[in-house]
Amino acid sequence: MLGNMRDHLLAITEIQQSIGKGDFQQAADIAEVRLGLSSLDSHGASHMAPFMPKQMQDIGTQMHKAASQFALVAQDSSADGNALRAVAALSEVTRQCTACHSAYRAH
């Protein structure tokens, strides 16, 4: 679980770097593959979920949904260069991270 979370943080860093370069498509690709709903199998989410409280599972699901939504917004930003819209959508991803890390600790 901690390895997955560290990769999530690295993915967010790579997304921010991509946005900074104006490469919104790359940001979208990273988000979907590493954080979005399509990443659940590669993270072993179904294996880890039973070890998490229900509320933690729910926050995680919302984070993955927000990442997939960000990917769509970033693709739109690729067409018109609107970085503000992409950054706002990315903040919904990190908001879920913050909520979870504020409430839970792995021991």
Side-chain angles (χ1 to χ4, degrees):
M1 179 171 36
L2 292 176
N4 283 341
M5 288 183 204
R6 288 182 184 112
D7 186 64
H8 293 346
L9 184 58
L10 181 58
I12 289 170
T13 300
E14 293 171 9
I15 289 166
Q16 291 171 325
Q17 290 170 332
S18 297
I19 291 171
K21 293 186 295 187
D23 192 343
F24 299 104
Q25 185 59 54
Q26 182 179 20
D29 293 343
I30 293 166
E32 188 56 43
V33 170
R34 304 254 302 277
L35 300 172
L37 290 170
S38 64
S39 74
L40 294 176
D41 285 339
S42 67
H43 290 148
S46 62
H47 171 72
M48 286 187 287
F51 300 102
M52 298 176 186
K54 175 74 168 106
Q55 186 180 11
M56 186 180 189
Q57 292 176 30
D58 293 344
I59 294 170
T61 298
Q62 290 307 311
M63 185 278 295
H64 292 295
K65 286 180 179 179
S68 288
Q69 181 61 37
F70 164 79
L72 296 173
V73 170
Q75 288 174 337
D76 289 344
S77 294
S78 185
D80 65 15
N82 185 341
L84 295 178
R85 182 176 57 225
V87 170
L90 184 59
S91 74
E92 287 301 311
V93 178
T94 58
R95 189 170 67 82
Q96 299 305 320
C97 298
T98 302
C100 193
H101 284 271
S102 293
Y104 299 98
R105 300 284 182 265
H107 301 281

